[in-house]
Amino acid sequence: MVRVTNSVASHRRKKRLFKRAKGFVGDRKNHLRLTSDCVVRALAYNYDHRKLKKRDFRSLWITRIGAAAKIHGMSYSKLIHGLKIARCELDRKVLADLAVRDPSGFAAIAGRAKEALV
């Protein structure tokens, strides 16, 4: 009896795996067993780092807002608290962008937060 290998499907599977390993260096790109392990690990890191990127950017925004708030004589927490009292619904991403690109606009927002705190 003839041995069935299902070569079309297995070739397609290998092709898909090697395509994902594009850019890998050395044996990691062209040996099936090594490639398989490396691709699985790369996908896991990819998933984790998509989550970490959000944390990193939020941290960066907070640092930028804090530095800009210090220029206007208040701490980050007081600025955010003042904005909440003033019902200013700008998020941290927009506030950080304003702090970097439009200092005068940020100054107006900081002034409004100061007024709300008093």
Side-chain angles (χ1 to χ4, degrees):
M1 205 157 119
V2 177
R3 183 170 152 262
V4 178
T5 59
N6 196 10
S7 60
V8 173
S10 65
H11 180 68
R12 188 175 295 139
R13 242 187 333 269
K14 288 178 194 173
K15 193 173 176 183
R16 191 182 317 132
L17 186 70
F18 287 130
K19 192 173 183 183
R20 282 184 165 171
K22 185 179 178 190
F24 288 10
V25 178
D27 289 350
R28 303 171 76 200
K29 72 173 179 278
N30 54 10
H31 288 92
L32 186 63
R33 213 174 298 165
L34 292 172
T35 302
S36 174
D37 293 343
C38 292
V39 164
V40 167
R41 187 175 299 116
L43 290 172
Y45 282 133
N46 185 8
Y47 178 82
D48 287 344
H49 292 159
R50 281 199 309 269
K51 310 299 172 198
L52 287 173
K53 187 166 87 168
K54 293 165 181 59
R55 283 182 231 167
D56 291 342
F57 269 103
R58 185 179 173 94
S59 171
L60 175 68
W61 298 333
I62 288 171
T63 304
R64 286 179 175 171
I65 295 166
K70 288 279 186 223
I71 292 169
H72 298 290
M74 53 194 326
S75 68
Y76 167 81
S77 59
K78 289 213 193 282
L79 176 76
I80 294 297
H81 182 61
L83 290 175
K84 284 203 190 307
I85 292 171
R87 293 188 179 167
C88 179
E89 296 190 9
L90 293 174
D91 61 357
R92 284 161 181 81
K93 181 179 178 181
V94 173
L95 282 171
D97 193 47
L98 276 171
V100 172
R101 295 177 196 266
D102 184 20
S104 59
F106 188 83
I109 291 170
R112 190 176 250 190
K114 269 187 185 175
E115 288 171 11
L117 285 172
V118 174

